[in-house]
Amino acid sequence: MASTGLQLLGLVLAVLGWVCGALVCAAPLWRVSAFVGGELVIAQVLWEGLWMNCLSQSTGQIQCKTYDSTLALPTSAQAARGLTVLSLLLCILALMLGVAGAKCTHCMGDGNQASKARLGRIAGVLFLVAGLAYLTPICWTAYAIIRDFYDPNVAAPLKRELGPALYLGWGACVLLLVGGALLHVGSSPPGGRALPVFGGAVKDNPHTGAAGEVKQQEKSFI
């Protein structure tokens, strides 16, 4: 029962991490305009994401526009897109395998526990890989923002700050990693008591004891 609880908890945490990751991937809040020149009146705020950028004005109007060309983006942005999409696809595959391999489901029948445990462990590993793949663009984007912010050669209007999507992305990575680890640990193989069974069978077999006594009597007569 404890392993089943770990499986369910791991699946729930991983699904929450997947949902948060999808929101972060779509949100244009990875980079936010930084105001470092002592400006008191802020007329416009620029938000940048993986797929679009938005311009928020002081009047409350928000205008968003998708990027015109994918190839015109920097290499880091293209890599971030690929890694986030790959991570989300891995989460979908891991979720299907995790549901099929959970001990509380009957997708593969109740008599095939070894295969279900194997599927559960594979799903846990996939969630771990997805969490690491999602963590890479989040950390790299944060590093680039901080590097440019403290670079004196970068003009003040081009400086950016960490957007709220990055913090939510770190939380999504933690959920994926913890959920994958719990799912892997909870999907323990059912054959852990094989050796004691064989040992008990040898001890409890009356024919083995009788054969040993006959052999000892034959040796004594010889």
Side-chain angles (χ1 to χ4, degrees):
M1 294 298 293
S3 59
T4 304
L6 287 178
Q7 278 188 331
L8 292 177
L9 181 59
L11 280 175
V12 170
L13 292 179
V15 169
L16 289 177
W18 173 57
V19 173
C20 292
L23 293 177
V24 171
C25 181
L29 295 172
W30 287 52
R31 301 169 182 261
V32 183
S33 298
F35 300 95
V36 296
E39 301 178 2
L40 297 179
V41 180
I42 301 174
Q44 295 178 344
V45 178
L46 181 62
W47 302 337
E48 297 178 3
L50 294 179
W51 311 97
M52 67 179 71
N53 54 10
C54 295
L55 186 64
S56 175
Q57 299 180 1
S58 59
T59 58
Q61 296 179 351
I62 299 177
Q63 297 177 354
C64 296
K65 179 184 177 182
T66 58
Y67 297 117
D68 296 330
S69 175
T70 303
L71 299 179
L73 294 175
T75 306
S76 59
Q78 297 180 18
R81 280 186 175 186
L83 287 175
T84 51
V85 172
L86 176 62
S87 175
L88 295 177
L89 293 178
L90 284 177
C91 288
I92 295 176
L93 178 60
L95 179 60
M96 292 188 295
L97 294 179
V99 171
K103 298 178 181 179
C104 59
T105 61
H106 304 280
C107 298
M108 300 179 60
D110 297 332
N112 200 1
Q113 295 297 326
S115 299
K116 294 183 68 173
R118 190 178 301 111
L119 286 180
R121 293 195 300 272
I122 293 175
V125 172
L126 288 178
F127 276 126
L128 290 173
V129 174
L132 293 176
Y134 208 96
L135 184 63
T136 302
I138 296 291
C139 292
W140 178 257
T141 303
Y143 166 74
I145 293 173
I146 296 174
R147 179 196 59 195
D148 295 341
F149 186 85
Y150 290 106
D151 189 358
N153 297 323
V154 178
L158 299 179
K159 293 181 182 294
R160 299 292 182 263
E161 290 184 356
L162 301 178
L166 294 180
Y167 298 100
L168 184 59
W170 277 314
C173 294
V174 172
L175 290 175
L176 288 174
L177 294 175
V178 175
L182 291 179
L183 182 58
H184 188 275
V185 173
S187 303
S188 57
R193 293 177 293 178
L195 292 177
V197 171
F198 287 112
V202 172
K203 292 181 180 180
D204 297 336
N205 192 355
H207 299 287
T208 305
E213 294 178 358
V214 171
K215 290 182 179 180
Q216 290 179 359
Q217 291 179 0
E218 290 179 355
K219 289 182 179 180
S220 61
F221 283 119
I222 293 174

